[in-house]
Amino acid sequence: MGSKAAGFVLLLRVLFGALPLELVGRWKLLLMGMSAVTILYGNLCAIPQRNLKRLLGYSSIANAGYLLLGVAAMSAAGKVAILFYLGGYLFTVLAAFTVICVVLRAAEAEDLGALAGLNQRSPLLATTMTLAMVSLAGVPPLAGFFGKFLLFKAAIEQGPAYYWLIGVAMIGVVISLYYYFGIIRVIYWSPEPVDRSPLAVSMPLKFSLGTCVAGML
């Protein structure tokens, strides 16, 4: 997450600080194409994944595509949207990977099935993971929704030339709903889980998860 944030901040500095505007304008179509391909590639590759870390890895690629949407807008609104999106994404990813690390450490496996029955084993972990997936999917009123809204708004303000890219991004959002809510379905409505033992959550971990939830909200 840190490397992604640093990369986009550096990209913004280069495009809007170091290079002449005439040169930057020539890259608009390239950035738009990169954004569209990245969004579709990340979301489509995430669909068949059963490995939790790999699934979120492809999700991360798709989210980089949404951030490129803000870069391609080449406006002050696009820069603000990128920074807002990165802030909300930070809390969301930290929450998701914290839950995954706790669950996978107990299950000693990385399969999606390790989350089966998590709502019974630890309501706190289940709720946190659910909120993280809903935020990543871009559902209101969580940070992920407002981040995507600002990115889309920044692109739409640039005129009809961006409408096709907004359409691709919307398709990406619809695709992501399938695998994000697939994780939620496993947590709450999977067949009888193999392991029903409670998962202990320490006070520092509860504080960390609470901070992430507050950031998502």
Side-chain angles (χ1 to χ4, degrees):
M1 176 58 202
S3 60
K4 179 186 293 185
F8 273 95
V9 170
L10 178 61
L11 180 61
L12 290 175
R13 293 284 292 178
V14 170
L15 289 178
F16 300 103
L19 297 177
L21 291 178
E22 296 79 8
L23 179 59
V24 173
R26 298 175 186 174
W27 292 5
K28 181 174 71 173
L29 288 177
L30 174 62
L31 291 169
M32 292 170 70
M34 289 174 59
S35 174
V37 170
T38 305
I39 289 171
L40 291 178
Y41 176 79
N43 281 313
L44 290 173
C45 288
I47 291 176
Q49 300 302 322
R50 293 289 301 175
N51 182 290
L52 277 168
K53 292 182 179 179
R54 194 174 295 125
L55 187 153
L56 289 182
Y58 281 114
S59 164
S60 177
I61 293 174
N63 280 282
Y66 294 119
L67 288 166
L68 281 172
L69 180 65
V71 177
M74 296 186 178
S75 65
K79 290 187 286 185
V80 171
I82 289 172
L83 295 177
F84 183 93
Y85 194 91
L86 283 171
Y89 186 68
L90 169 65
F91 289 110
T92 305
V93 170
L94 281 176
F97 273 100
T98 300
V99 173
I100 288 174
C101 287
V102 172
V103 173
L104 297 189
R105 183 175 57 191
E108 298 182 352
E110 296 185 356
D111 188 80
L112 188 59
L115 293 175
L118 183 61
N119 62 314
Q120 300 174 20
R121 303 180 67 192
S122 173
L124 173 61
L125 294 179
T127 300
T128 302
M129 191 65 175
T130 299
L131 289 174
M133 294 302 101
V134 171
S135 182
L136 286 173
V139 177
L142 301 179
F145 166 78
F146 290 104
K148 285 187 173 68
F149 174 80
L150 290 175
L151 288 169
F152 291 176
K153 181 174 180 289
I156 289 173
E157 288 175 349
Q158 301 308 304
Y162 285 78
Y163 289 175
W164 70 270
L165 181 56
I166 296 297
V168 171
M170 291 298 296
I171 291 173
V173 170
V174 173
I175 294 173
S176 70
L177 290 173
Y178 174 79
Y179 59 84
Y180 286 136
F181 280 86
I183 294 176
I184 297 174
R185 183 174 63 250
V186 171
I187 292 174
Y188 291 96
W189 299 289
S190 64
E192 192 71 15
V194 176
D195 188 359
R196 301 175 65 94
S197 59
L199 287 171
V201 181
S202 64
M203 284 304 298
L205 191 57
K206 289 180 180 178
F207 176 79
S208 176
L209 292 175
T211 301
C212 290
V213 169
M216 286 187 284
L217 293 172

